[in-house]
Amino acid sequence: MLHFVTAVTLALQTSVADSSPFRALPLPAANRVRSASGAPGPDYWQQRADYVIRATLDTAGSVIRGTQRIHYANHSPDTLAFVWVQIEQNIFAQNSITYTLNQPPLHFAGGAVFDFTGKGFIGGITIERFATAGKELRRTAYGTMMRVELSRLLPPRGVIDFDVAWHFPVPPYGGGRMGRIGARLYEIGQWYPRLVVYDDVHGWNPLPYIGAGEFYLEYGDFDVSLTLPAGFVVAATGTVANPLVVWGPTARARLARARRSAERVQIITKAEAEANTGKRVPGTKTWRFTARNVRDFAWAASPDFRWDASSWSGILIQTFYRPGATPWEEANKMAWFTIKHFSETWGTYPWPHATTVEGLVEGMEYPMLTFVPSIEKREDQFWVLTHEFGHEWFPMLVGSDERRYPWMDEGFNTFIDYGSAEGYFRGTAYGDTVRRELLGAYRVSAVPGNEQPLIDRPVEQRDLAWAAYQKPALMLTILRDAVLGQEPFERALREYVRRWKFKHPQPADFFRTIENVSGKELDWFWREWVYTTARLDQAVDSVTQAGDTALVYLSNRAQMVLPVTLELRYADGTTETRRFPIEMWNLGSKFTARVGTAKPVAGVVVDPKEIYPDIDRANNQWGK
Ligand SMILES: [Zn+2]
């Protein structure tokens, strides 16, 4: 009783909110689906959608018509009365959110432009049929999302087949993610009705496709038949299932050679591509592709392609490009290096080929297939190639929710891209300094009052390049170099990939995995970098020395906490580096570093290698 009274009295007198930077981050409670360790729990489930698609490209009107069967398996514990379906071509319909708001493209520091519209093209998808067991289902389209009422409830462990027929006109410019050049090159994505993800966190996830905010998709198998004019060559997600029909004996022999070659083999040479361009081949040809365990399917087709191929560790690496795209002679080597580097560093590439197509799309990723433009500067060409292939790890392999959390997709990918660029250009000025760009971007974009936390949704980000790409890459670089160390960091990120491949992680699953595997409590770090725009200002206030001990008075003057690296310069000209772990700030924003040394200290520098985005470097030095 006495104890109780004392506690109440104390609480009344000294009520203090917990403002410690180390207070717990309020994450969703762990459960049997998502465990406290960050791994999928014993009851983890996700839905499955398998697709059989037959589509025809009519080049005269640039219209694609398709029929498809979707086999949908309900692995959830819930009974479903309706399903949500994505019909993204409706972003180009007159009444779409994107067109109604008529917003200009997003412009970013550095010149990047994100135009998510069709640049005036009016299109949209027509759903001719959506049926099950021969019965049309009632459906309502809401822009890029469609709700379909089931004629019978779908119970847990139930399966249902949907028969769908549709057509849409191909936009010349498809929001930067698809499109065509006349009737000579088609790069096709967001083209068939896809099931919306139903998960344990939000149930259905029918967030509209507005432009910013990419895709969140179920895994499944695909069997896709594409009928095109006979002169077209097709590259797609999936393996060609009818090679004797679609490839001639020369192409097949060269491909067989490419499967044993680390160097590019030319499957269609420049001269052959140029000869093909002048030819008119009558009739049509049907290409059949099969793909296992992918979350999407895309394809590209042209009668003009050059085609190079090589292989690494049984993975066929292919580059398709127009004869005019000269820098693309090296693209196959860049792609080969990229697939090898990411496989060895973060987890093996799991599919039979990795293919990229040069064309009008500024850079876009699909399973096994990327769209990349031809870029004059070699370093920039490598960057976009390696970036789009980096997406095969995030989000193709680790299937996160891009519509909500682009930093887990673009951001993690941008981080690994720096490692790839450093590897490919090792020993050059570019390779040795490219990661410094991130601190430059910090100075330009992390402006107080403008900067938004990266947890904000992508459609609300005014500087998507910073919040979705560069800041999370800087975050992971600092986590690796200053907080965890390279080996523990890489082990933890690899484990995240291993745990969540072909699955749907949430932010908390990532945070918990990194903390559990590295052994470090990091709530403070995630709060600073993900949930706030905290800034860093580490300072050395003064230095005193008595006997064989120097006292370095340090202070943390802004909201962000990070470990401190000190460089001590002695009177005899020698230097020494001391590192202080994050626990130095446990008792507040002042810390006295005791350095045992008999030598007189002449100067001190905080963060001597300048790896931090410290907002005031003038107070990082003390010197006599
Ligand atoms: Zn990207």
Side-chain angles (χ1 to χ4, degrees):
M1 192 62 191
L2 181 66
H3 179 79
F4 174 74
V5 169
T6 308
V8 167
T9 311
L10 262 176
L12 288 172
Q13 287 169 347
T14 63
S15 171
V16 171
D18 186 357
S19 62
S20 159
F22 301 107
R23 67 194 185 278
L25 191 62
L27 295 177
N31 55 45
R32 288 183 59 83
V33 178
R34 294 171 193 273
S35 85
S37 72
D43 295 343
Y44 179 82
W45 58 267
Q46 71 190 34
Q47 309 293 69
R48 183 183 172 94
D50 298 310
Y51 296 82
V52 178
I53 306 175
R54 289 182 215 300
T56 302
L57 169 65
D58 164 14
T59 50
S62 281
V63 170
I64 298 177
R65 291 174 189 283
T67 59
Q68 71 188 57
R69 170 161 284 199
I70 310 172
H71 182 73
Y72 184 64
N74 181 14
H75 296 155
S76 84
D78 308 326
T79 296
L80 304 178
F82 55 87
V83 299
W84 282 96
V85 176
Q86 324 191 33
I87 42 175
E88 290 99 342
Q89 281 302 314
N90 276 354
I91 194 174
F92 309 116
Q94 196 140 29
N95 61 355
S96 73
I97 295 172
T98 305
Y99 279 17
T100 305
L101 297 180
N102 195 21
Q103 286 173 310
L106 293 176
H107 287 263
F108 295 123
V113 178
F114 286 70
D115 188 341
F116 300 118
T117 75
K119 294 187 176 172
F121 173 86
I122 302 294
I125 193 165
T126 304
I127 306 291
E128 299 155 25
R129 184 170 76 244
F130 205 109
T132 189
K135 252 181 73 180
E136 241 350 287
L137 298 176
R138 202 150 50 83
R139 54 185 187 263
T140 319
Y142 301 87
T144 56
M145 289 289 162
M146 182 169 71
R147 191 184 134 116
V148 179
E149 316 300 325
L150 303 182
S151 49
R152 283 218 319 252
L153 294 177
L154 183 64
R157 288 184 297 281
V159 296
I160 186 168
D161 287 330
F162 299 111
D163 289 303
V164 192
W166 47 265
H167 67 268
F168 69 90
V170 182
Y173 177 84
R177 299 197 175 96
M178 58 152 325
R180 63 183 164 89
I181 299 177
R184 301 298 294 186
L185 173 65
Y186 292 84
E187 295 179 274
I188 304 300
Q190 298 89 47
W191 59 290
Y192 61 95
R194 311 187 280 193
L195 255 295
V196 167
V197 171
Y198 185 81
D199 67 23
D200 58 296
V201 178
H202 296 99
W204 290 107
N205 286 266
L207 292 180
Y209 175 42
I210 297 175
E214 290 182 317
F215 309 102
Y216 183 30
L217 298 160
E218 301 288 15
Y219 286 91
D221 295 346
F222 283 74
D223 181 340
V224 178
S225 298
L226 300 170
T227 300
L228 298 97
F232 276 63
V233 171
V234 184
T237 302
T239 305
V240 169
N242 58 346
L244 297 178
V245 174
V246 296
W247 293 330
T250 310
R252 292 202 302 273
R254 289 173 182 174
L255 261 178
R257 222 161 18 97
R259 287 183 192 284
R260 298 185 305 271
S261 175
E263 306 284 323
R264 80 179 168 125
V265 172
Q266 298 190 55
I267 315 294
I268 300 177
T269 65
K270 186 168 203 258
E272 288 163 346
E274 281 164 355
N276 288 343
T277 295
K279 254 187 248 165
R280 280 203 62 83
V281 188
T284 61
K285 206 191 264 184
T286 297
W287 297 65
R288 185 165 170 223
F289 296 90
T290 55
R292 288 175 53 96
N293 223 4
V294 288
R295 36 172 276 166
D296 199 3
F297 189 103
W299 54 279
S302 173
D304 306 322
F305 279 141
R306 288 184 68 180
W307 176 10
D308 295 341
S310 59
S311 74
W312 177 78
S313 193
I315 302 157
L316 187 69
I317 291 153
Q318 307 181 94
T319 39
F320 290 83
Y321 52 106
R322 292 169 296 164
T326 312
W328 275 67
E329 311 260 330
E330 193 187 342
N332 197 270
K333 186 179 167 198
M334 292 174 170
W336 188 93
F337 177 90
T338 289
I339 297 299
K340 177 177 188 285
H341 170 83
F342 288 147
S343 287
E344 289 175 345
T345 315
W346 304 115
T348 306
Y349 184 86
W351 297 292
H353 74 79
T355 297
T356 191
V357 174
E358 179 274 334
L360 74 147
V361 173
E362 291 102 333
M364 187 57 199
E365 64 279 9
Y366 301 97
M368 300 184 229
L369 185 70
T370 61
F371 297 156
V372 171
S374 170
I375 302 173
E376 199 141 339
K377 194 167 163 228
R378 188 166 162 252
E379 288 82 1
D380 295 347
Q381 182 70 75
F382 178 84
W383 183 268
V384 180
L385 259 166
T386 214
H387 176 82
E388 302 314 332
F389 273 131
H391 279 303
E392 301 299 343
W393 280 262
F394 308 105
M396 300 310 156
L397 184 56
V398 179
S400 55
D401 177 353
E402 302 173 76
R403 188 77 32 106
R404 282 190 181 82
Y405 308 119
W407 55 277
M408 297 175 76
D409 149 46
E410 299 297 353
F412 292 5
N413 178 21
T414 301
F415 169 78
I416 68 172
D417 300 340
Y418 279 102
S420 179
E422 286 162 347
Y424 194 76
F425 293 102
R426 180 154 294 140
T428 69
Y430 174 81
D432 296 342
T433 59
V434 58
R435 200 182 287 264
R436 307 284 307 172
E437 289 172 357
L438 292 171
L439 289 174
Y442 188 93
R443 282 189 287 277
V444 174
S445 289
V447 177
N450 282 355
E451 193 190 14
Q452 296 165 273
L454 50 108
I455 197 68
D456 282 9
R457 294 184 308 160
V459 288
E460 296 174 71
Q461 294 285 359
R462 291 179 295 273
D463 189 349
L464 193 65
W466 172 242
Y469 297 70
Q470 294 154 320
K471 187 170 185 179
L474 180 62
M475 168 178 91
L476 294 183
T477 299
I478 285 178
L479 185 62
R480 180 189 71 178
D481 294 345
V483 181
L484 298 182
Q486 182 161 345
E487 194 278 331
F489 169 84
E490 289 190 353
R491 182 159 16 140
L493 188 57
R494 269 198 299 275
E495 178 64 5
Y496 170 70
V497 173
R498 196 192 65 77
R499 287 177 173 184
W500 289 97
K501 62 184 175 188
F502 307 115
K503 294 191 171 74
H504 295 315
Q506 291 283 317
D509 302 317
F510 170 72
F511 300 149
R512 286 170 166 147
T513 291
I514 300 296
E515 294 185 39
N516 268 254
V517 178
S518 73
K520 297 269 193 210
E521 203 278 306
L522 294 168
D523 284 19
W524 57 277
F525 187 84
W526 311 129
R527 178 183 290 104
E528 292 172 350
W529 285 89
V530 178
Y531 293 96
T532 72
T533 56
R535 264 154 255 283
L536 178 75
D537 185 13
Q538 296 181 338
V540 51
D541 299 326
S542 61
V543 177
T544 62
Q545 192 159 17
D548 56 3
T549 302
L551 299 178
V552 182
Y553 296 91
L554 300 164
S555 62
N556 194 54
R557 299 189 184 177
Q559 311 91 340
M560 178 179 277
V561 290
L562 279 173
V564 166
T565 299
L566 275 190
E567 188 180 80
L568 298 142
R569 181 167 46 82
Y570 295 110
D572 64 5
T574 59
T575 61
E576 186 191 353
T577 300
R578 297 275 178 120
R579 287 175 211 286
F580 299 90
I582 192 66
E583 286 80 0
M584 67 187 291
W585 304 119
N586 276 352
L587 299 179
S589 59
K590 301 264 182 202
F591 181 77
T592 305
R594 302 170 163 277
V595 180
T597 177
K599 298 194 270 186
V601 175
V604 167
V605 182
V606 171
D607 185 25
K609 289 192 171 157
E610 303 194 3
I611 68 167
Y612 284 161
D614 191 315
I615 55 172
D616 183 1
R617 287 211 168 266
N619 59 27
N620 283 29
Q621 314 227 8
W622 176 90
K624 289 191 229 179

